[in-house]
Amino acid sequence: MGRSMLNSIREFYGDAPRISDWLTVEQTAVDQFGESTQAEDWLHNDPDRARIESPFGGTIAAGFWSVSLLTYFYRQTFGEEYPDGVRYALNYGLDKVRWPAPIPVGARIRNHLELVNVEDRGGGRVLVTTYNRIEIEGVEKPGMIAQWRTMMVCDAGGRERRSLPRAC
């Protein structure tokens, strides 16, 4: 892999942390996540019971739900799927995932993303590691922190960047 491709990926992410827009945590999204993963739990999916029995005063988002939002936050932050010259990317893994604070339903959250490493893995593949921190508005501790590792597969000749539609 040429240095120009690695530099292109580094430039795409930039040196400064990137911050997404705010997202309001909706009960319907938390419910849909519980249904689709077959992991419904009253702490996440029963607002009436959670209001009475939960130490949090209501329902909270499942920790894995916050992890599942990383792709959404990435695309929302950059407005593009991939850096120029990248054909596709695959999730490679997560490291150091922690949930320091619960994310209440109704809260607003946003992701802070920083580039950690860009590594040439040969065969047109580049392993990109980012540090992600999901901030909960008005809460000191983050709702989630994780290093996200993505394997990017590069085109031989480059291609046009594909922009994603922005939400209204």
Side-chain angles (χ1 to χ4, degrees), residues 73-147:
F73 281 130
Y74 171 92
R75 290 177 175 173
Q76 186 276 317
T77 300
F78 290 99
E80 303 174 46
E81 286 184 309
Y82 312 116
D84 192 29
V86 173
R87 188 176 340 137
Y88 61 90
L90 299 170
N91 289 318
Y92 190 79
L94 295 160
D95 295 324
K96 303 177 184 176
V97 179
R98 302 289 183 271
W99 296 277
I103 300 175
V105 169
R108 291 189 343 143
I109 60 174
R110 64 182 176 181
N111 189 43
H112 298 249
L113 179 149
E114 295 179 52
L115 181 63
V116 173
N117 193 37
V118 177
E119 179 185 345
D120 183 354
R121 297 300 291 260
R125 297 172 305 138
V126 178
L127 183 60
V128 176
T129 303
T130 57
Y131 172 76
N132 296 268
R133 178 175 57 87
I134 293 184
E135 172 189 3
I136 307 167
E137 188 175 41
V139 177
E140 185 177 333
K141 291 182 179 180
M144 187 211 69
I145 55 174
Q147 285 190 357

Side-chain angles (χ1 to χ4, degrees), residues 29-94:
V30 174
D31 289 344
Q32 290 170 347
F33 181 82
E35 289 171 20
S36 68
T37 59
Q38 299 183 30
E40 294 173 281
D41 183 280
W42 68 268
L43 198 53
H44 309 301
N45 306 111
D46 188 340
D48 294 331
R49 182 177 175 187
R51 224 179 337 275
I52 296 166
E53 296 182 38
S54 165
F56 310 111
T59 50
I60 59 172
F64 287 116
W65 178 79
S66 61
V67 171
S68 75
L69 288 176
L70 288 177
T71 300
Y72 164 78
F73 281 130
Y74 171 92
R75 290 177 175 173
Q76 186 276 317
T77 300
F78 290 99
E80 303 174 46
E81 286 184 309
Y82 312 116
D84 192 29
V86 173
R87 188 176 340 137
Y88 61 90
L90 299 170
N91 289 318
Y92 190 79
L94 295 160

